[in-house]
Amino acid sequence: MPYGPLPFALETERLTLQLWEESDADGYRRLVVERKRDHAERTGGLDGHVDEPMSLDEALADIRGARESAPARGIHLLTLHPRGSDEFLGYCGLVIGRSTIDEPELAYELLRSAHGHGYATEAAAAVVEAARATGRERLWATVGSWNAPSFRVLEKLGFRRDRTTIDDQAGEIVWTVLDLS
Ligand SMILES: CC(C)(COP(=O)(O)OP(=O)(O)OC[C@H]1O[C@@H](n2cnc3c(N)ncnc32)[C@H](O)[C@@H]1OP(=O)(O)O)[C@@H](O)C(=O)NCCC(=O)NCCS
């Protein structure tokens, strides 16, 4: 079944969601370094030290790739900024991830400095409504079983736990699902 495209821009009460810009590269690079540091801390590796932080060039290459592939796929990640500001807070959107183009995954990731303000829930609620408007009937989110803040975001959005699988790299993964129809 053909689906409408996810929009390239959405607005919420406090946030602008938009397509990646090259000016997001430094914020995106910091997000990836924070993710690696979190993983290292959680798994007891390296005392939270990150051996290979992402370079600005690598971040720019990812951003150019995301901009190029978004129109053809019809689903994508959107960056989050406070309305009226170019400060990069993180991203939220739809990805195939472990699922399918028909029933994609909701994904979000925010800089540590932006946590705890309800931004992930606010952005994800807008993405869920936009996903519904594409004609899709179901969304998934797969979450590491340790990730209490992410489960809370999904709970607030109405997702329910479906099953648990074991991922070679990520460990125990909980599949959560939201029926849109
Ligand atoms: C998950 C994440 C996006 C949440 O972002 P956020 O903007 O802080 O989320 P919100 O403020 O909208 O909601 C977080 C909720 O989790 C709750 N929470 C935070 N830490 C918690 C914890 N340790 N245990 C239980 N609940 C927790 C908050 O209180 C809040 O719930 P409330 O509104 O009922 O008080 C953010 O922590 C993040 O980017 N983490 C790293 C990347 C990641 O894990 N992405 C998801 C992969 S599936």
Side-chain angles (χ1 to χ4, degrees), residues 20 27-43 48-50 54 62 77 88 90-91 107-112 115 146-147:
W20 293 84
Y28 171 62
R29 186 188 59 77
R30 284 187 285 125
L31 191 68
V32 171
V33 172
E34 286 186 2
R35 181 200 303 157
K36 290 181 177 176
R37 189 171 298 138
D38 280 353
H39 179 78
E41 281 169 3
R42 211 173 43 251
T43 54
H49 171 75
V50 176
M54 178 178 247
D62 279 6
L77 298 174
F88 177 88
Y91 66 77
Y108 41 75
E109 189 174 16
L110 274 66
L111 284 168
R112 278 183 189 178
H115 293 184
W146 54 270
N147 198 340

Side-chain angles (χ1 to χ4, degrees), residues 10-17 81-84 119 122-123 126:
L10 294 168
E11 292 262 301
T12 70
E13 193 186 335
R14 295 177 296 168
L15 302 171
T16 299
L17 286 70
H81 301 265
R83 281 177 77 145
Y119 289 150
E122 185 171 322

Side-chain angles (χ1 to χ4, degrees), residues 108 121 143 147-158 161:
Y108 41 75
T121 307
V143 187
N147 198 340
S150 187
F151 285 119
R152 180 69 189 126
V153 170
L154 293 166
E155 184 182 41
K156 288 190 283 181
L157 295 168
R161 292 187 187 221

Side-chain angles (χ1 to χ4, degrees), residues 1-6 73-75 101-102 131-137:
M1 161 173 179
Y3 301 102
L6 192 72
R73 196 170 291 158
I75 61 171
I101 191 81
D102 291 347
R132 195 191 311 276
T134 70
R136 288 183 169 79
E137 293 183 352

Side-chain angles (χ1 to χ4, degrees), residues 42-63:
R42 211 173 43 251
T43 54
L46 308 169
D47 295 328
H49 171 75
V50 176
D51 255 351
E52 294 174 10
M54 178 178 247
S55 72
L56 207 52
D57 280 348
E58 288 170 316
L60 276 169
D62 279 6
I63 285 173

